[in-house]
């Protein structure tokens, strides 16, 4: 990180912050690791409360933070562990709705500045949807500041009663560009998923109803007659796995479910086109990685996606399998259009906040909330 300085203004002792993570989605966990590294470099003391398996993947200790294992449940033992970890903190920063709710319970009765980042929108209907709205209200009203990763999330936080909601700069570390990678690495990634001699289309995310995978399978049925038929690879796990797999087999669709992978960045970089058919997204990790890696993106025009990608992707209506299929077929047949999207993607990615800018913005919020107030 550049502009490193010890963060102890007015001769005060270093700021002590606690970052709280719940289940540890890719977006929130990557953000917290980047944030922890930048804050530590600036002299801030950082504790990360997260499940042990999240720390094993993201290695918060490796960037100078103290990791405290806290399970993702809201049972009393987890809240007690969180309460102990937050003792003596100058500020607590929770990431995601459920982590923020647990942190609010742990901070009950304490007047500690409380920052919440909403990375995505929780979706549910019926009784569970009602419960989520109650949680959102509780969290929004308890937070000193809510940082939303898209304009829609900022508006949502305000509608739930947030006193102060702002658009957050959230950077993902830019993955290596494909030209930094030798061709053999790309060929190896493609061969491993069975995409030798045919176009590779990549989608990533939990196998649930909000991801638009049913629409994606409908689109794959349309383009399976191409020669060669593009192969769709979907990385992720979730409740729809068995029903999606059944459709793939019954309809002989050129689609592979490859489960959770630790080489997502490499697979995206090896793809001909990245696909994002979700019904809702904020700052999509897949979209950011695709544009950074100069991979053309076809995405549903929902929520934060147009704001994030600008004119650097093919946007189609959500749930429209024909529009999705047509956009993909058109791109695969038009190398000039693909090249144009790659160049636009590089320009668009350059407008996103850097990791340094992200840390600086968060630190400015922390300063605002922890500076001693002048006497009247």
């Amino acid at each position: 990180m550049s502009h490193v300085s010890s963060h102890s203004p007015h001769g005060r002792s270093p700021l002590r912050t606690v970052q709280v993570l719940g289940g540890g989605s890719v977006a929130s966990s990557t953000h917290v690791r980047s944030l922890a590294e930048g804050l530590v470099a600036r002299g801030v003391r950082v504790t990360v409360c997260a499940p042990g398996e999240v720390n094993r993947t993201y290695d918060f200790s490796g960037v100078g933070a103290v990791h405290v294992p806290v399970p993702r449940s809201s049972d009393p033992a987890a809240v007690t562990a969180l309460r102990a970890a937050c003792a003596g903190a100058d500020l607590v920063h929770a990431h995601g709705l459920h982590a923020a709710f647990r942190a609010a319970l742990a901070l009950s009765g304490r007047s500690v500045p409380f920052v919440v980042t909403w990375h995505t929108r929780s979706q549910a209907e019926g009784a569970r949807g009602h419960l989520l709205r109650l949680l959102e209200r509780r969290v929004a009203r308890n937070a000193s500041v809510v940082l939303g990763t898209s304009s829609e999330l900022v508006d949502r936080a305000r509608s739930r009663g947030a006193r102060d909601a702002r658009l957050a700069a959230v950077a993902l570390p830019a993955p290596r560009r494909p030209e930094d990678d030798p061709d053999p690495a790309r060929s190896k990634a493609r061969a491993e998923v069975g995409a030798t001699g045919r176009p590779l289309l990549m989608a990533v995310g939990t196998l649930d109803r909000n991801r638009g995978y049913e629409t994606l399978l409908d689109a794959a049925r349309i383009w399976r007659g191409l020669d060669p038929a593009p192969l769709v690879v979907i990385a992720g796990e979730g409740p729809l796995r068995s029903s999606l797999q059944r459709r793939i087999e019954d309809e002989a669709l050129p689609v592979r479910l490859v489960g959770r992978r630790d080489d997502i960045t490499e697979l995206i970089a090896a793809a001909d086109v990245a696909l994002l058919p979700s019904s809702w997204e904020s700052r999509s990790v897949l979209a950011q990685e695709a544009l950074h890696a100069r991979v053309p993106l076809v995405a549903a025009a929902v929520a934060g996606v147009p704001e994030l990608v600008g004119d650097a992707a093919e946007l189609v209506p959500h749930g429209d399998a024909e529009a999705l299929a047509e956009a993909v077929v058109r791109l695969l047949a038009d190398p000039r259009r693909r090249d144009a999207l790659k160049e636009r993607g590089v320009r668009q990615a350059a407008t996103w906040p850097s990791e340094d800018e992200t840390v600086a913005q968060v630190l400015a919020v922390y300063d605002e909330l922890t500076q001693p107030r002048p006497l009247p």
Side-chain angles (χ1 to χ4, degrees), residues 104-370:
L105 291 177
L107 293 175
S108 184
R110 296 185 188 176
S111 56
V112 180
F114 180 37
V115 178
V116 174
T117 297
W118 280 4
H119 292 269
T120 187
R121 185 181 78 180
S122 299
Q123 293 183 313
E125 292 165 11
R128 181 160 166 73
H130 178 65
L131 175 62
L132 285 171
R133 284 191 293 279
L134 291 176
L135 288 184
E136 286 177 344
R137 278 203 286 275
R138 168 79 185 261
V139 165
R141 290 171 183 177
N142 272 265
S144 312
V145 173
V146 177
L147 300 174
T149 58
S150 70
S151 302
E152 186 181 349
L153 285 172
V154 173
D155 292 342
R156 189 179 181 88
R158 287 180 183 140
S159 74
R160 296 291 190 254
R163 289 167 284 171
D164 186 340
R166 312 176 192 182
L167 189 61
V170 175
L172 284 182
R176 289 169 306 168
R177 296 262 289 271
E179 53 263 42
D180 302 331
D181 263 337
D183 266 350
R186 188 171 188 270
S187 302
K188 180 173 176 285
R190 292 173 69 93
E192 202 177 282
V193 293
T196 303
R198 63 196 298 197
L200 171 61
L201 315 178
M202 270 302 301
V204 180
T206 311
L207 307 182
D208 63 29
R209 301 212 172 278
N210 303 317
R211 294 289 179 173
Y213 291 138
E214 293 285 0
T215 303
L216 181 50
L217 295 196
D218 291 343
R221 192 168 56 210
I222 295 169
W223 66 56
R224 70 182 168 186
L226 295 179
D227 184 23
L231 175 68
V232 181
V233 170
I234 303 175
E237 282 295 351
L240 292 188
R241 174 154 193 147
S242 57
S243 64
L244 293 173
Q245 187 61 50
R246 200 158 45 243
R247 268 200 70 187
I248 291 165
E249 290 167 9
D250 290 350
E251 300 171 37
L253 300 176
V255 179
R256 279 195 66 194
L257 307 179
V258 295
R260 286 197 183 89
R261 303 278 296 212
D262 56 10
D263 58 349
I264 297 291
T265 300
E266 290 79 6
L267 284 172
I268 292 170
D272 295 289
V273 177
L275 303 173
L276 187 65
S278 314
S279 63
W280 198 92
E281 290 283 349
S282 178
R283 291 189 71 83
S284 160
V285 175
L286 171 74
Q288 292 178 77
E289 293 206 337
L291 268 59
H292 273 306
R294 297 171 58 83
V295 174
L297 173 69
V298 177
V302 295
V305 173
E307 181 180 21
L308 179 68
V309 303
D311 66 354
E314 293 279 5
L315 297 179
V316 297
H318 169 254
D320 189 334
E322 284 191 17
L324 178 61
E326 280 171 21
V328 168
V329 171
R330 200 166 54 239
L331 263 184
L332 291 176
D334 188 348
R336 288 180 62 184
R337 174 67 179 160
R338 292 201 304 274
D339 287 344
L341 280 180
K342 290 175 187 179
E343 294 311 315
R344 287 183 193 174
V346 171
R347 285 201 299 273
Q348 182 69 12
T351 70
W352 297 334
S354 67
E355 289 183 87
D356 224 32
E357 289 163 343
T358 297
V359 174
Q361 188 208 39
V362 168
L363 200 45
V365 173
Y366 291 1
D367 276 347
E368 197 182 308
L369 297 173
T370 58

Side-chain angles (χ1 to χ4, degrees), residues 79-102:
V79 174
T80 301
L82 199 50
R83 191 172 176 84
C86 292
D90 295 312
L91 180 142
V92 174
H93 187 167
H95 300 263
L97 180 62
H98 295 283
F101 178 65
R102 285 194 286 280

Side-chain angles (χ1 to χ4, degrees), residues 2-143:
S2 59
H3 311 116
V4 171
S5 64
S6 178
H7 190 75
S8 47
H10 316 305
R12 291 187 292 153
S13 58
L15 191 67
R16 291 167 300 173
T17 71
V18 175
Q19 308 288 324
V20 182
L21 265 173
S25 71
V26 172
S28 57
S29 301
T30 305
H31 174 56
V32 169
R33 188 184 196 277
S34 170
L35 198 52
E37 184 174 20
L39 291 172
V40 168
R42 288 162 171 78
V44 177
R45 287 166 58 185
V46 179
T47 297
V48 177
C49 294
E53 66 269 20
V54 178
N55 184 55
R56 282 192 289 279
T57 303
Y58 292 92
D59 188 23
F60 304 113
S61 316
V63 295
V66 173
H67 171 246
V68 175
V70 175
R72 67 184 73 192
S73 69
S74 289
D75 66 44
V79 174
T80 301
L82 199 50
R83 191 172 176 84
C86 292
D90 295 312
L91 180 142
V92 174
H93 187 167
H95 300 263
L97 180 62
H98 295 283
F101 178 65
R102 285 194 286 280
L105 291 177
L107 293 175
S108 184
R110 296 185 188 176
S111 56
V112 180
F114 180 37
V115 178
V116 174
T117 297
W118 280 4
H119 292 269
T120 187
R121 185 181 78 180
S122 299
Q123 293 183 313
E125 292 165 11
R128 181 160 166 73
H130 178 65
L131 175 62
L132 285 171
R133 284 191 293 279
L134 291 176
L135 288 184
E136 286 177 344
R137 278 203 286 275
R138 168 79 185 261
V139 165
R141 290 171 183 177
N142 272 265

